[in-house]
Amino acid sequence: MSGLGCFPPEMPVPLVEPLTEPFWAAARDRRLVVQRCTDCGTFRHLPHVLCPACQSARHDWVESAGRGTVFTYTIVVHPVHSATADVVPYNVVLVQLDDCGGVLVPSNVVDCPPDEVRVGMPVEVVWDRVSDEVTIPRFRRG
Ligand SMILES: [Zn+2]
């Protein structure tokens, strides 16, 4: 099982690429960071090469307090990957952070049965170490 036991070890883990390495490096230290354009200040997540507002490639990384609310969600009932066959149904959420421009972070709310997930539910980040390289931000009711 993964660090939090959300998914079995056969679950594919995200690829760490040069664009996303700063995000994953911070996550290994249990810090949630979000890209911010240093020309116009627009936050963006997931990481992109260019700012969607002004097309600048210049950016820095800003640490979030890791709190937000469920913006929307779905309940996965069909195992789209064989590793999830024993864990369906489970939730997939978009968390709107309270800071960092209110960007949306795709994740899961742990320890939350499917019928208890609600839009607007306050959540806070928890960390799920799934490999030496990847620690995934998930959320719990906060
Ligand atoms: Zn910009």
Side-chain angles (χ1 to χ4, degrees):
M1 301 298 269
S2 64
L4 292 176
C6 308
F7 297 100
E10 298 78 21
M11 185 71 163
V13 299
L15 292 176
V16 177
E17 301 172 319
L19 176 65
T20 59
E21 168 55 28
F23 174 84
W24 295 116
R28 285 192 292 274
D29 293 337
R30 298 177 178 239
R31 296 184 303 110
L32 180 61
V33 296
V34 175
Q35 262 186 331
R36 178 181 58 189
C37 174
T38 52
D39 283 322
C40 79
T42 299
F43 287 91
R44 60 185 190 261
H45 188 78
L46 304 169
H48 297 282
V49 174
L50 300 178
C51 172
C54 76
Q55 289 73 52
S56 170
R58 299 182 347 142
H59 66 273
D60 61 4
W61 296 86
V62 176
E63 185 169 351
S64 168
R67 283 186 277 279
T69 54
V70 173
F71 180 80
T72 191
Y73 69 94
T74 190
I75 304 300
V76 178
V77 296
H78 178 75
V80 294
H81 186 278
S82 60
T84 63
D86 293 332
V87 294
V88 289
Y90 62 90
N91 67 69
V92 174
V93 299
L94 287 178
V95 171
Q96 184 166 37
L97 295 180
D98 290 343
D99 51 15
C100 294
V103 295
L104 301 177
V105 179
S107 187
N108 314 97
V109 180
V110 301
D111 298 327
C112 186
D115 62 343
E116 294 182 15
V117 180
R118 297 285 184 271
V119 169
M121 186 169 73
V123 293
E124 62 185 6
V125 72
V126 291
W127 295 101
D128 190 9
R129 184 178 184 274
V130 298
S131 72
D132 289 344
E133 195 171 36
V134 175
T135 297
I136 296 175
R138 302 199 200 276
F139 289 83
R140 68 180 173 208
R141 287 177 269 200

